[in-house]
Amino acid sequence: MDNNNQKQNQIQVELTDEVAQGTYSNLAIIAHSSSEFIIDFIRIVPGTQKAKVKSRIILTPDNAKRLLYALQDNIQKYDDMTKNGGIGNSSFGELIPPIGGIPGEA
């Protein structure tokens, strides 16, 4: 592919200062219908009875699969890095079960 085609296919992504700060979440609930996947990112604070949804992402099934593949790729890279003396000392090599058996269908 020549340089002109590469420039036409590039997307410029803007990240505002507010969004760049991120939102902490320690639980995700995933639901789906025939046409979309919904991921609610939630923050649970110990000692409280309520948890708030901090962000909701709605994806098409194709984009949900792309997210799955991207996460798998990044987790593999993280595991490779930690096994070779990189940062951290834990590994995602073992499957971590979901919390509380939350159903995944809307």
Side-chain angles (χ1 to χ4, degrees), residues 31-38 58-64 106:
H32 70 276
S33 69
S34 61
S35 61
E36 60 194 16
F37 279 76
I38 299 139
I58 302 170
L59 303 162
T60 64
D62 285 345
N63 284 334

Side-chain angles (χ1 to χ4, degrees), residues 37-77:
F37 279 76
I38 299 139
I39 307 173
D40 286 333
F41 292 96
I42 299 164
R43 182 182 308 155
I44 296 177
V45 178
T48 62
Q49 296 296 317
K50 269 186 150 176
K52 288 190 175 186
V53 173
K54 293 300 190 174
S55 182
R56 171 174 277 188
I57 306 298
I58 302 170
L59 303 162
T60 64
D62 285 345
N63 284 334
K65 290 177 186 179
R66 287 182 184 99
L67 175 62
L68 171 66
Y69 297 141
L71 283 169
Q72 287 174 327
D73 181 55
N74 277 270
I75 289 170
Q76 183 61 52
K77 289 175 183 174

